[in-house]
Structures are given as C-alpha cells and as structure tokens.
Amino acid sequence: MVTMAATVDVSDSLDEARTRLIKTARALNGAWAASLCSMLGLVVASLALLLVAVTVRPVYVVIWSVLLAAAGYNATRFWPRRTPRSGRYLSKAERAALRGVLDPDGRMAWPDVVRLVPRPELELGEGELVLGMPLLACLDAHELRELLTVAAVQASVEDEREVRWALRVAHGDVGRQLVGRRPRLSWATLRITETLRSRAAALEADLGNWAGACERAAVAALRSSSRSGAAAQEARDQVADAWQLLQQEWLAPAFARGRREVAPFTGLRRFVEGADAAGWLGSPRPGGPTCDVLADLVARHEDTVARDLGPRHARLQAITWEEYPVEVELPRWRALVTEVLDAARRTTGDPAVTLDTVLVLLESGRSHELAEATAVERGLTPAHTTAYVEWHENFTSRLLTAAVAVAAVDSLHFKPEWSWPEGTRLVAEDGWELPLESVVAEVLGLVREGAGPAKAYGELREALVRLDIDVHEPLWLDHDLVERPERPIGSFAARQGLAPRMAIVTDRSLHVFQDTQGARLNRILGPVTQRDASFELRKRMLKVWQGDTGDQVLTVAAEDVRRARIGPATGGLWWRLTLSCADGTVVLRGRGDGLEEEAEVREWLGDRVERPWLAAAPAVRSVRNIVGLVGVTLGTLALLWGVLLTALSPSGMPDPLPAVLAIGGFVALLLAVLPDAVVDLVQRLRRARVSSVA
C-alpha cells in the first residue's frame, strides 16, 4: 500500500523515484522466488523419497508421507497471504455516494473497497481506498479531493506488475511461523528470510520517496490555482497533530479510567473549529465537512470505527464530552492529590488532607521527592527517559492544578464544565471562569523569578481566600478512585514448557512465578506432593503487593486476554490452559482434571473462558479420556515396535508385520485425538458464525 509520506528525499524527481522503486521491487521479487524455490525443493525431495519407498520398502511409506505433508505445509508459509485489516468497509451505495463527492467526473479508477480507519490517513493502493475518520470529519470535500488526487498519482506505480506483486510479498507475512501462537520467528526462519526482510524494508523506503515526489509534483501543479496547492497537505498535517493531541490529553486518560467517548471524531472537529476560532492555527479552517454525504458517513460509522481505537474499547463505559469533566478529569485530580498525600504521609505522619497540606509540601521543596515516589508507583524509571523526565518537569504544575481544582469544586462555588478547545474548566454560578492554568503559571513564575516559595504560595492563599476557597477545609478524596490492591482468588502449581511454575490468580491479573519446590523432570509422572496452598498464596501475594518481581516470570492482565481455553489434555491425566493475548500466547499445564483451576480462571475472566470437555457430562468425559489414553498408549507402542522390527528384521517375521504395526499405531493416534479435533472444529465454526453475524 502506498502511503503519503511527509519526510522524503527532496532530491528525487518522479522519474528517479519511480525507477528506483521498480528496481527495488524486482530485487524483492527475486529474493522471494529464491526462498519459495528452496522450500519447493524440499517438497520435491520428499516426494522422490516417497516414490522410492513405495517401490523398494513399503514400510517407510507412512514416514515419508508425513515428511511430504510437513514439507508441503512448510512451503505454504512462503506464499503471500492477504491478512484481514481492521476498519469499517463501506457498502456499494456508500461507495457510490462518496465517489460522487470526491470524484464526480470519474477521472480515476475507483477501487472496489473503501475502508474507514481511526487514523488520520488517506491511502489508495492494492485495490482499496483507506480513508481516515479524522480527515473525513474535519476536512471539506475540496481538500479531500486534492489529497485523493495525490494518492491516485502515488498508486499509479502499481500499474507495473513488478511493483504490484512486490507489495503483496512485502505485506503478505512471508516466512510466517508454522505455529501461529509463537511470538517470534525461529532462528532458521530468520536466516532464510533475512534477505526478504531487508529488501522489503528498502521497498517501504522507496515507496516513501515516491509518495513524497508525487506530493511535491501535485503541489507544484496546483500553485497556479486560486487556492494554494499545499493547503490540503497543511490541513491534513493540522488534523493529524490535533488528533495526536486529543488522544494524548483526553482519550488515553479516559481509557485508563474505563471510559470512552461516544463521538471522538466529532469532538476532534469541534476541537479544530475551537482552536481556529481562538487563533491557535496558523491558517484558517473552512469548518469541517460541508457536504451532507461526508457528514452522514461520519455520523453513521463513527461509533463503529471508534471501537478500533483499543482492544478494550467495546467493554468501556460510554460517555459524552459534556460528562468528561465529572467522569474523568475530576477523578484524575482527586486520585493524584490522594496519591501524593499518601506518599508524604509515609514520612511525615501528618493525616491532614487539605489544600494547605499540599502547599506546605511544595513550599518545603519536596516536589522532587514526591515526583520520584509517584513515578515509581506508575512504573516510571530513569530507563523510561522521555516519560520519566516529562513527569518530573511537569509534576509541580500538575499537582498544584489538581489540588486547587479539587478545593474549588469542594467549596461548592465552582463546578467543572466542558468547553472547546480548552477542555475542562471551572465555572462559578454567575458564569465566571476560574483561570486555573493562569493562576498556576503565575505562582510558578514567581518561584522561578526568585520571589521565593513563601511569597508565591502566600499570594496564592490570599487569592483563594478572596474566591471563598478555604485552604484548611478537608478535601473530599475518595480512595475508591485510587487503584486498589489486587484481590487474590487462588493459586495452583503448573508447568510452562518443562519449567515448574506457581500461578497466582487475582481479580485483575495472573502472576506466574518460578517454583523452586516443583517436581523434578524425573518425577513428573509421580504423585503430586501436597503443599500448603494457603501459605503459597499468602507468600506470593505479599510479593505482588510489594512489587517484588524477582522470581516473577510474567504477568497477564485480564484486559489483555483475547481468548482463554482450559480443559483436559488427551488421556485426561493433564490439564492445559491457553491464554491468547495481543503479544503472544501463554500455555500452562498441570496434573489432574483441571476443575479447580478452571473455577479460579473463570472467576478471573468470566464467560470468556472456553471449557472443552469440562462442561460435558462426567460419563462423556470419562469415555473421551479412556479413548485418548488407550489410543496414545497403543499407538506409541505400535509405532515403536514397527520401527524396531524394521531395523532388526528378525528371522521368521512376516514381511507385512512392521507395516501393519506402523499403520495401526498411526490410526490409533488419530483415534486418540479425534474427539478433541471434532470439538475444536465445532467451536471454530461457532466462533466464525458469531463473528459473521456481528
């Protein structure tokens, strides 16, 4: 897909950029063809061995058939696939209406797919138009038409067959893992695909150069018109900057508190309009989409596209922008003041929770100490350079703003309201607005100018008294708004791979620790040693509350789990827990039927847990376990005897016996896993049916 890049090599002309792009595309296609041919060579070699086995030694047919199937499946990794992409696809009627606005004269080949995404981008390529909702909500039809014209010129390079196929290879996940849940590529795959990855990166860089050259050419061609050719690009950059600010300042804090705005893109348009009216923008804006078709698309698909802003977006509580001050901003202020006073109380022992207490702490020069304490609680260390420095630099102003705002609201003389583009503001009953940012800036300015903290904060106290805000009045600090400690649910011993683990389940997370007292590998099938579960739970939870991660292997938060599955393994002697997360899959195994572990995991994750066989009747589960155990035992023994008899070839042995044993063992293993395969297929079909309906 061709992206409109903003930073490019300005020395590239259109012809130079196009020539370089085609050359890089051919190099990528050649590297892909070499990798695919090497994998197909393994398939041909396996097929030749199978044919030799059929004619010379039939007992090896099963072995070489399995090898041929594995080699064929391995070759499919190197064929580019079209991965599903997030976003909202427009219907045929909506595409036609959008084309009537953006391309009324039909000058360009309109794609069959139009996808709306929650990012400020407009891309045309690989047979689809990707249109960002921030741009659709804020730009007018003329600006979108100019951007689409540039994108069409950029996409014209896909008329070259080499470039079109190279784009598919670069975005086709070539060399992907055989097992989809593995988070990283293996060493062998990395070595094989090293050239592919380097040339795919070079293709992306040349695509950026080509996109920039097209953009400069389009701007130069439009300079003769009454409207500046760079106006659309400037408007796009303004919207992108505004969207980044909106996400950082308002959307991200709302997500952290379990809230989501029902109209984030409409809010972005109102923010841009408010910033334009306040004179914050360098060039005036036309005021958002003036076309009914564009406004209708925004209103119809805004909520659906907004759900792609985060993995937990659908589970968050919906609020409007007018509810934002009460639902998000004011609780954030209270939580920060509470956190700072709690940190100070550990050393001073002062139980007072007033605005004067906060001012005394700042006057005494303890802001750096408190910033460090609160940074540690947020997981910020000097290793997080940017976030750590930003937290320390803005801590005093952030704390002073929060403390004064909470005191003003608790005085009942001010109430929080929402306005564009400032955001949350404190308004009195007569409509007068408390200039909170100006007050804080003036106080800190006096401190920096050398007036001294005593004088600066003394003037602040006098100003607050004139506003009927009592600095000695206890603040209403709801400790429920501060993050509570995790509540333990239970614990169980398990294995991750071959390593023993101790898992602690809380109401928010799964903590996996190293288990130094776990059974050794030579006793893995022996009886489970009874241990004091309550003692283990108390000991591990104490480490969780203290933040001691010395022997903690990993932590899985409930909101990060996309799908959970727990049930007995084949044979019923072991249970298996699989947690599919955004950054990989966690697999734990343990002895027993898994019923107790399943109850703890269900209390943690709720109905998201799939329970194959655990929800079945005990008689059905017993039959399945017996079939699996007998099939695995007999199948393994039959295969081993088949290989052993083939190698030894004792005299008097019937010639077909090794082949019969090998085939019989293979069939027994298939029967052992058949019930699980059927249940898994049924669940996959059910999930596919539910997702298609949704």
Side-chain angles (χ1 to χ4, degrees), residues 103-155:
D103 186 26
D105 300 330
R107 296 181 178 179
M108 64 182 66
W110 195 257
D112 296 330
V113 177
V114 178
R115 182 162 53 94
L116 301 180
V117 296
R119 299 179 296 275
E121 60 187 29
L122 192 152
E123 301 173 351
L124 182 62
E126 297 186 75
E128 70 173 3
L129 170 63
V130 180
L131 181 57
M133 282 292 289
L135 300 182
L136 186 64
C138 298
L139 302 185
D140 61 9
H142 181 74
E143 291 170 330
L144 289 174
R145 195 176 300 122
E146 289 185 6
L147 294 178
L148 184 61
T149 301
V150 177
V153 176
Q154 295 171 355

Side-chain angles (χ1 to χ4, degrees), residues 68-128:
L68 176 61
Y73 181 62
N74 177 63
T76 61
R77 299 190 302 145
F78 290 83
W79 187 262
R81 65 180 179 184
R82 299 185 182 275
T83 56
R85 296 167 178 172
S86 61
R88 175 67 177 179
Y89 291 89
L90 298 186
S91 64
K92 184 177 180 180
E94 291 172 333
R95 294 197 304 268
L98 183 63
R99 183 178 188 180
V101 175
L102 301 185
D103 186 26
D105 300 330
R107 296 181 178 179
M108 64 182 66
W110 195 257
D112 296 330
V113 177
V114 178
R115 182 162 53 94
L116 301 180
V117 296
R119 299 179 296 275
E121 60 187 29
L122 192 152
E123 301 173 351
L124 182 62
E126 297 186 75
E128 70 173 3

